[in-house]
Amino acid sequence: MKKASTVIMLTLLALALFGGLAVAQSTYFPTPTPPAIPGLPEVSPPLPDLPGVPPEGTRIGMLERYEIILTAGGASETINATIPPELEPYEVVWVSNDTSVATVTAQSAATVTPVGVGECLVYIFVTTDDESYYDFALVRVLDADEAVPTPPTSGGTTIITAALIGLLLIFTALALVRRLRLES
């Protein structure tokens, strides 16, 4: 009986450890393709016909987030892109498809500035010698009366929470093992 309960407890301990690690890992690694943007069709919209924009390209996930909510007349926000190093050398262009809603200026990261109420897309275009790649984010500019706080990003918080849950499961399994040993 003592051996069977020890094996069961060690199995639970291993499951708790691997379960906690799996949750932490699954929340840490980004998805390889950009997620769908609520309110937009699954298929990418046509590329804007604007100066500096290539006529076609391949969409790849480069942006840190895909939706920005701003307040008309409020503060600007920064959006970062991670450009795959294998695309070097390249040129980068950031554009807004509706500058009456939001403008975008870029240096090392892009600054999105609200102009008027509405929705627009902010694009990043990365052009190499033979290919063009792009990604985009939906920008929603709300009237000050409609504005809701932007929820904090949860990447680091989720990892910490998952690790704490994993540790809690491990300590629970250890307590059960200790209790069974005392009862035997």
Side-chain angles (χ1 to χ4, degrees):
M1 178 75 173
K2 188 175 179 180
K3 261 188 176 177
S5 62
T6 303
V7 169
I8 291 171
M9 287 302 119
L10 289 175
T11 303
L12 286 174
L13 176 65
L15 288 174
L17 175 65
F18 292 122
L21 290 175
V23 169
Q25 186 178 23
S26 69
T27 57
Y28 177 72
F29 293 108
T31 55
T33 56
I37 298 174
L40 287 179
E42 287 291 323
V43 178
S44 295
L47 298 181
D49 185 20
L50 296 169
V53 174
E56 59 184 41
T58 303
R59 184 175 183 205
I60 59 173
M62 292 183 274
L63 299 178
E64 66 179 349
R65 58 190 171 148
Y66 291 92
E67 183 176 27
I68 302 171
I69 300 174
L70 301 171
T71 305
S76 301
E77 284 203 27
T78 301
I79 185 169
N80 293 302
T82 302
I83 301 169
E86 60 269 13
L87 297 182
E88 289 186 22
Y90 56 79
E91 289 185 30
V92 176
V93 175
W94 289 84
V95 296
S96 168
N97 73 339
D98 189 347
T99 55
S100 68
V101 174
T103 59
V104 60
T105 54
Q107 291 168 19
S108 61
T111 301
V112 181
T113 305
V115 176
V117 176
E119 293 182 353
C120 70
L121 298 175
V122 168
Y123 288 87
I124 178 174
F125 292 94
V126 177
T127 306
T128 65
D129 288 337
D130 23 302
E131 283 288 327
S132 291
Y133 302 92
Y134 71 97
D135 203 359
F136 62 91
L138 176 65
V139 177
R140 298 175 196 255
V141 179
L142 305 175
D143 187 23
D145 297 333
E146 300 174 322
V148 293
T150 304
T153 57
S154 61
T157 305
T158 304
I159 293 170
I160 292 169
T161 303
L164 290 175
I165 289 171
L167 287 173
L168 178 65
L169 290 172
I170 290 169
F171 286 125
T172 303
L174 287 173
L176 286 173
V177 167
R178 190 174 300 134
R179 186 175 189 191
L180 285 173
R181 283 186 182 162
L182 291 174
E183 289 176 1
S184 311

